[in-house]
Every structure is written in structure tokens, then in C-alpha cells.
Amino acid sequence: YALRGGWNERGVVMVAPAAAGTTWSFLRGRDEDLPFVDRALKRAFARCRIDRRRVGIGGFSDGATYALTLGLVNGDLFRGVIALSPGGVLAENAVGKPRVFVAHGTRDNVLPISRTSDRIVEQLRSFGYRVTYRKFRGGHEVVPAISRESVRWFLRG
């Protein structure tokens, strides 16, 4: 739903696996969700004509943290990463340099922007990542305009 801005975009294939539990397992120290995500991607590649040069990953909140992490450690697969209100990133073994889009509400009281996205973006830029950063007036949510902008940003890449 966070990336609903791409639902009607021509040529876009979206794969939207969900965490097995209440959040992504890697946040609890074990990545039990990764095999499920991997199977979902393999099925998409088998069923759809996918341009491997235009594969991205994205998410919202904990899903954005997971997308950032998977996107940076698999930068050879994911050319772009969309992180909408991420809480952090755990990418010690980053590969490649995918483009990154981060958006966050300035009134987010779940994952305050000053403790999350502001720091994440600063760190990513210091490591040489090209980051597009959008702050918007709002809370812990994805407003339609940001959803559309993030998908269009990816498609332009």
C-alpha cells in the first residue's frame, strides 16, 4: 500500500511479501523472512518479463528499514531503494551503490525524523550514495503524493 503510487504505472511489476510475524524477523536478530522474500522474487522473475537493470526494493516503517538493508547488501540486484519512514539500516556488507529515496514525516512520533531519517541520509551520503530526501508535513504515514513521487523517482532512474 505504501507504494500505491505505482499501481497504475505501465510496465511496473510489484511483489509485496509480508513479514511472517508482526514485523520483519531481522529486526529481532534472525532473518527468517529472507527465504520467503527470495522465493517471491524468484516467482516474479519466472512469471513476468523483468528487466534486471530496473529492479528496486521499497517499504514503509520497519519495511523501509528492511528494504534499505536488503537493498544495500544486494546493490548488485537492486538498482534503487525506496525507504518511507525508515527506522534505521543494518548494511555492514554493502555491495554496489544503488540510488536511494527516503521520505519521512516531520511530525512522526513513532520514528522521529531527527533520530532516524536525518541520520540515515547523512550516513548514506557520507558513504557516497546518491540520496533523494523528502521531508513532508505529516506523521508516521505515507501520503499519496510521496508514494507517487517515490515510484516516479524510481522509474526515472
Side-chain angles (χ1 to χ4, degrees):
Y1 184 74
L3 298 173
R4 64 195 176 276
W7 285 349
N8 295 320
E9 293 291 334
R10 182 184 155 115
V12 171
V13 174
M14 287 194 182
V15 177
T22 57
T23 191
W24 296 98
S25 60
F26 93 104
L27 292 171
R28 295 187 306 269
R30 296 187 320 262
D31 199 353
E32 298 162 348
D33 292 314
L34 185 58
F36 180 68
V37 171
D38 191 46
R39 279 193 307 276
L41 286 171
K42 285 179 181 174
R43 285 183 185 149
F45 277 99
R47 297 174 76 174
C48 303
R49 229 175 62 221
I50 307 288
D51 181 348
R52 291 183 180 272
R53 297 166 300 172
R54 298 186 52 79
V55 176
I57 189 168
F60 167 68
S61 191
D62 286 351
T65 299
Y66 197 35
L68 269 173
T69 299
L70 288 180
L72 298 185
V73 299
N74 295 286
D76 53 343
L77 170 62
F78 300 113
R79 304 300 185 191
V81 179
I82 298 172
L84 307 174
S85 302
V89 60
L90 303 169
E92 296 171 6
N93 299 313
V95 174
K97 290 277 195 262
R99 298 177 311 126
V100 180
F101 181 99
V102 176
H104 209 121
T106 57
R107 297 179 181 164
D108 188 337
N109 59 9
V110 175
L111 294 170
I113 192 171
S114 63
R115 293 192 324 216
T116 55
S117 288
D118 285 347
R119 292 179 181 177
I120 293 166
V121 168
E122 180 181 329
Q123 182 181 22
L124 290 174
R125 287 178 174 159
S126 75
F127 286 120
Y129 288 91
R130 290 184 309 158
V131 181
T132 298
Y133 189 24
R134 296 289 182 263
K135 298 179 183 184
F136 62 92
R137 178 177 280 163
H140 195 66
E141 62 188 323
V142 180
V143 296
I146 291 295
S147 180
R148 281 189 305 277
E149 181 181 358
S150 69
V151 172
R152 289 181 179 149
W153 165 88
F154 176 76
L155 294 173
R156 282 192 307 270

